[in-house]
Amino acid sequence: GTGYFARTEIIEAWPSAKRVYDLIGGLVDTSASTLDVGILQVVRQPVDGMDMLVLQGEITNRSAEAQAVPPLQVTLFDANDQGVMYWTFASEQAVLQPGETGRFRTQAINPPRAFDRTAVTFVDGG
């Protein structure tokens, strides 16, 4: 019973447990369709002689269910809208409660100088 009623807290404490819940019936919604990425901030700064790109933002769960947060992908696009660099990362929270907003922060060392646009998407199809 505890494993069912405390599933969100278990996944927050141990993100790998999500796979177990997926196998026994998907007790935590994993669809990224009700998660929104917003308030994106991109800052370039020198760190120890290197160019550092710091990207941070928010993810909001618009659903009425607890929502597992899939990995995110950052893509940097040039003036021709071609992807010139990308990487994946995990958000700071593995699960968001209904209406809850979580934060993410990621960074890249020595990104391409000429990029015009940044996009953050969910790896699992969001």
Side-chain angles (χ1 to χ4, degrees):
T2 302
Y4 175 78
F5 292 109
R7 64 190 178 273
T8 301
E9 291 80 8
I10 291 169
I11 291 173
E12 285 176 355
W14 185 40
S16 301
K18 181 187 165 304
R19 292 181 185 154
V20 174
Y21 284 105
D22 287 345
L23 291 172
I24 60 173
L27 301 173
V28 175
D29 190 0
T30 59
S31 166
S33 65
T34 58
L35 294 174
D36 288 330
V37 174
I39 308 180
L40 195 61
Q41 297 175 328
V42 180
V43 177
R44 274 191 124 120
Q45 58 191 30
V47 175
D48 296 328
M50 295 180 288
D51 185 26
M52 180 75 70
L53 181 73
V54 178
L55 192 138
Q56 55 190 20
E58 295 181 347
I59 303 168
T60 301
N61 178 3
R62 295 181 292 109
S63 76
E65 304 279 327
Q67 189 84 345
V69 180
L72 295 129
Q73 178 175 301
V74 175
T75 305
L76 306 180
F77 294 92
D78 65 12
N80 298 319
D81 215 28
Q82 298 295 311
V84 293
M85 183 177 182
Y86 68 91
W87 68 94
T88 60
F89 66 99
S91 73
E92 294 175 8
Q93 290 178 265
V95 174
L96 292 175
Q97 297 302 313
E100 184 178 18
T101 297
R103 300 198 49 76
F104 65 83
R105 185 177 195 282
T106 185
Q107 55 195 32
I109 298 171
N110 294 325
R113 298 291 290 152
F115 73 90
D116 286 354
R117 183 171 69 87
T118 304
V120 178
T121 56
F122 295 103
V123 173
D124 295 337

